Every structure is written in structure tokens, then in C-alpha cells.
Amino acid sequence: MILGIGSDLANIDRIAGTLARFGDRFRHRVFTEAELARAARQGDAPAVYAKRWAAKEACSKALGTGLSMGIAWRDMWVTNLSSGQPVMHVTGWAEDRLRAMTPPDHRAVIHVTITDDHPWAQAFVVIEARPE
């Protein structure tokens, strides 16, 4: 059963401007060490950050809250499998919210897809409950 759906569209140039203006302060406020490492491996490209920004926004919407109610940017993060497939992770308040919205005898699975085509980065998140 579908528990939540979220999407977001981020402007890569806007994220590039924010990176230029706030630099590491922005990076460390929003992104986890794993996300920062991925961005560094890809030449610190603004598109890498924009896709993850969009994924965090989409995840917060799928959780039914948006970025409110105590959720923090770093409570959600994206890694990639060796195949390149993105994987969404949650911790802290986001994990608590996910647990609360998951029916008994089910486990939550977060599906995420991210893409970019300059100047846009886009993400979709679907949260599914699967019977155990």
C-alpha cells in the first residue's frame, strides 16, 4: 500500500548561487557526510546538490509534513548503489514519522528517483508499506 508520495523540482542555478554565497555553511547544514563525499567525487557540481535537495524536499512531502514539525535536512539523505540507483535513508524525526505512519505488521520501503537536465533537478519519492 502507498503511504505517501512527494515530488520536487529544484533550480540548479539557484543552488549554485546558494553554494557560492554560503559555501560550507550551506553544505554542512543541509547535506550529510555521505552526500558531501559524493559531490566531491563529482567535482562539487551544483547539480549533485540540487538533486539531493529535491530528494529531501520530496521525501518530506511523502512523509506528509514538508520541512516542518521538527524534521531536519540531515534527517534524510541519498546514497547510491554501485549500479547508480539512488537510495533514500531517514533518521531522527523523519524515521520516527515513517515508523508512525507505517501500519502494524508492515515495513516501510522508500522509493526515490532523481534526475537533472540543466537548469532543473527533479526527484520523486514514494513510500510503500509492505506486509511482513
Side-chain angles (χ1 to χ4, degrees):
M1 106 184 47
I2 302 299
L3 299 178
I5 299 172
S7 68
D8 193 66
L9 187 65
N11 185 288
I12 296 168
D13 293 332
R14 182 176 147 247
I15 297 296
T18 302
L19 287 164
R21 183 171 177 198
F22 297 105
D24 283 344
R25 183 170 153 217
F26 171 69
R27 283 181 186 87
H28 293 288
R29 179 174 172 253
V30 175
F31 303 101
T32 66
E33 293 305 316
E35 291 171 314
L36 294 171
R38 172 129 183 136
R41 285 192 305 274
Q42 295 187 327
D44 212 33
V48 176
Y49 294 107
K51 287 187 286 189
R52 276 144 184 79
W53 173 280
K56 292 167 187 271
E57 286 274 9
C59 185
S60 70
K61 293 171 185 174
L63 288 168
T65 64
L67 284 160
S68 64
M69 298 174 55
I71 198 166
W73 286 106
R74 292 170 54 102
D75 283 349
M76 303 164 288
W77 72 98
V78 177
T79 61
N80 295 81
L81 300 177
S82 59
S83 65
Q85 177 184 346
V87 178
M88 178 64 70
H89 306 272
V90 294
T91 191
W93 188 92
E95 183 179 29
D96 293 345
R97 171 70 180 147
L98 181 63
R99 211 175 291 122
M101 64 191 285
T102 304
D105 301 322
H106 286 72
R107 68 179 177 86
V109 178
I110 303 174
H111 304 276
V112 60
T113 185
I114 56 179
T115 191
D116 67 285
D117 186 9
H118 195 271
W120 301 108
Q122 185 175 36
F124 289 95
V125 170
V126 175
I127 301 175
E128 172 190 14
R130 291 185 183 165
E132 290 195 312

